[in-house]
Amino acid sequence: MKASPTKETTLKVKVPSVLKPKQAALVGGLAGALEITASYPVEFTKVIMQLYPKFNSMGALNTFKYTVRKDGLFAPYKGYNLLLTACIPKAYMRFGIFEYLKQNIFTSPTVANLTICGAIAGSLEGLFITTPAENLKVKLIHDRFRPNPKFRNMFHGVYKVAQEHGLKGVTAGAGITMFKECSNNAIRFPLFVGLQNVFSPYFNNNLVRDLVAGSLAGMCVVLLNQPVDVVKTNLQGLNATRYNGALDCGRKILMTEGALGLYKGIRPRMVRVAMETSVTFASFNAIKSMVLKYLDAED
């Protein structure tokens, strides 16, 4: 008798998909839009406290309540349209460049490589997107609390800044903004990944894990570079002409307000950056997971 032939079964092993840099950039842009919508009132409060010592002494909650009483419920969204417009290309550039560097140049997933990828992505994001956006945002918010505000709306404010300050109106503080975004992303990308790994055994839900990891990573960023943010805000305000660069600005704040002057607005900024990092990274990973499932289904 002939032995019946055996059928060989071949198993197809599906390799997990990876988002291409352009896809990661698009997902990052959407995540950025979600984040800024949720956290902008906190950002508004932080800027006011950094520009005006009077409001810094009032505290974040009292400053927020004063703003709403003075100008209405939507007052803390002054300048929101501008930042929403900027945050999409900002997150697009951040995640797109980071993923490109991670996949093509610094391919080994070490802490050093993640730090370098984050630093480069942050520097470019700071130079091309954050510097002009922050200049206009800070000036619009600063004007809101002057005795006689000059800007009727966002478009009028942009026009007046261009008319009165020229190119410097949107490029002031470029160096310190680059340094701030470089340090932000150099810290949070590797720290977020590390905290993800630490928390993975304790969370069944990846979204909750990423929200917690992102919040802690954001808080660490603020503790490490808050003085940089205070100096940046003052260099980009309407009284920037009184300072001769970042070092002079820091020195004058120290002389007039003491060391704590460099930590003005730390509480709302900590809330803001914790929200930013947690919402952006968690929504990025959640949207990324959905996109990958769709792409896998298409294959």
Side-chain angles (χ1 to χ4, degrees), residues 16-283:
S17 302
V18 176
L19 282 184
K20 295 176 182 177
K22 286 184 180 178
Q23 294 168 333
L26 288 170
V27 172
L30 180 56
L34 293 171
E35 174 275 319
I36 198 62
T37 302
S39 66
Y40 188 79
V42 185
E43 173 70 11
F44 181 95
T45 303
K46 178 216 67 163
V47 172
I48 290 298
M49 291 176 69
Q50 290 179 341
L51 290 171
Y52 294 96
K54 164 191 166 184
F55 291 108
N56 184 53
S57 63
M58 285 171 56
L61 186 59
N62 287 331
T63 298
F64 179 81
K65 288 194 289 188
Y66 173 85
T67 303
V68 172
R69 281 199 305 268
K70 177 177 177 286
D71 293 317
L73 186 61
F74 293 102
Y77 274 91
K78 176 72 173 179
Y80 162 76
N81 293 344
L82 176 69
L83 220 60
L84 177 65
T85 304
C87 82
I88 296 173
K90 178 180 174 180
Y92 182 101
M93 179 172 280
R94 177 192 305 168
F95 286 99
I97 293 173
F98 179 82
E99 287 296 329
Y100 176 82
L101 293 170
K102 191 175 76 168
Q103 293 177 28
N104 295 282
I105 300 175
F106 302 97
T107 54
S108 179
T110 63
V111 172
N113 282 348
L114 292 174
T115 303
I116 293 168
C117 291
I120 295 172
S123 297
L124 295 174
E125 169 197 331
L127 177 62
F128 293 110
I129 308 295
T130 310
T131 295
E134 286 289 306
N135 268 285
L136 292 170
K137 178 204 76 178
V138 171
K139 288 174 176 65
L140 285 170
I141 295 175
H142 199 169
D143 176 75
R144 187 80 176 185
F145 282 78
R146 292 200 294 190
N148 299 300
K150 294 166 61 177
F151 306 151
R152 293 193 294 270
N153 52 49
M154 183 186 80
F155 299 104
H156 182 249
V158 172
Y159 169 76
K160 292 297 288 183
V161 168
Q163 184 185 54
E164 295 176 11
H165 302 280
L167 186 62
K168 193 171 182 181
V170 293
T171 59
I176 198 163
T177 303
M178 283 181 67
F179 179 72
K180 177 198 162 189
E181 294 301 333
C182 171
S183 60
N184 278 351
N185 290 298
I187 296 166
R188 64 180 153 201
F189 270 108
L191 185 55
F192 176 78
V193 172
L195 290 171
Q196 264 190 322
N197 294 332
V198 170
F199 292 147
S200 285
Y202 304 102
F203 289 94
N204 294 323
N205 188 302
N206 288 344
L207 181 64
V208 175
R209 177 202 65 192
D210 290 349
L211 287 170
V212 174
S215 295
L216 291 174
M219 290 178 187
C220 290
V221 166
V222 174
L223 290 172
L224 291 170
N225 72 359
Q226 177 66 10
V228 176
D229 189 63
V230 172
V231 171
K232 177 203 74 70
T233 298
N234 282 272
L235 283 177
Q236 293 173 339
L238 295 168
N239 298 325
T241 51
R242 68 175 66 165
Y243 305 118
N244 186 25
L247 291 177
D248 180 62
C249 179
R251 183 179 62 83
K252 285 179 177 174
I253 291 172
L254 274 173
M255 288 175 62
T256 56
E257 300 176 55
L260 290 179
L262 291 172
Y263 286 86
K264 290 183 293 186
I266 188 169
R267 289 177 184 172
R269 184 173 178 240
M270 187 167 285
V271 174
R272 158 79 171 93
V273 177
M275 289 176 68
E276 176 193 0
T277 310
S278 61
V279 173
T280 303
F281 278 78
S283 57

